[in-house]
Amino acid sequence: MNNLSDFYLNLQEPNKSCLLALKDIILHQDSEITNEMKYGMPFFCYKGKMFCYLWVHKKYQKPYLGIVEGQHIHHPNLIIENRSRMKIMLFEPEEDLPITTIEDLIQQALDLYKSGKIATR
């Protein structure tokens, strides 16, 4: 077992299933996406550059998707809270995931790197 596997396996339901489903959705968006453990969190990298991550919100105890360069993405489901760069999308772990919305946000984040707006490596 590695730290990344341990992270997902040690979560409690329903957050565990929700974050595992989010992981699969993210990894299926592009063959160059990798899932790595950084700062004790599961990060997703595109060509080695961190672009999003998964976590559980301390206050709300709900899983969320964090977009590293979220300040460049304008979407009603993203919230910034006290962050200047990143935005997050909270999920209700016992409800169906809004897959189309998630895929759209991931593609918008990837487009920042693919277009060169955010440099890779």
Side-chain angles (χ1 to χ4, degrees):
M1 290 273 207
N2 63 35
N3 288 338
L4 189 56
S5 296
D6 290 344
F7 171 81
Y8 293 106
L9 292 174
N10 290 327
L11 292 168
Q12 297 297 312
E13 292 295 351
N15 289 346
K16 179 180 185 176
S17 295
C18 182
L19 289 173
L20 284 169
L22 287 166
K23 177 185 85 156
D24 288 343
I25 293 166
I26 294 166
L27 289 173
H28 282 94
Q29 298 308 300
D30 192 288
S31 62
E32 301 236 34
I33 295 174
T34 57
N35 190 195
E36 304 171 20
M37 202 67 168
K38 295 185 182 277
Y39 312 109
M41 306 167 81
F43 267 87
F44 296 85
C45 300
Y46 175 73
K47 294 186 176 182
K49 186 82 169 182
M50 295 182 291
F51 82 94
C52 72
Y53 63 98
L54 297 174
W55 199 241
V56 177
H57 198 284
K58 278 186 182 181
K59 181 178 178 181
Y60 303 116
Q61 292 302 304
K62 293 181 183 181
Y64 72 85
L65 166 65
I67 306 291
V68 173
E69 298 293 342
Q71 83 273 15
H72 297 289
I73 300 173
H74 304 288
H75 193 281
N77 292 59
L78 290 177
I79 55 176
I80 197 159
E81 293 186 313
N82 294 327
R83 302 166 182 89
S84 60
R85 179 177 170 201
M86 300 181 192
K87 288 185 182 178
I88 66 169
M89 180 177 178
L90 287 166
F91 299 97
E92 294 294 337
E94 294 180 346
E95 295 180 9
D96 289 342
L97 290 172
I99 295 172
T100 304
T101 301
I102 296 164
E103 290 173 340
D104 179 54
L105 287 171
I106 296 301
Q107 288 305 317
Q108 287 184 54
L110 286 172
D111 287 346
L112 295 170
Y113 299 87
K114 290 178 179 181
S115 71
K117 185 168 187 171
I118 306 297
T120 56
R121 294 196 181 203

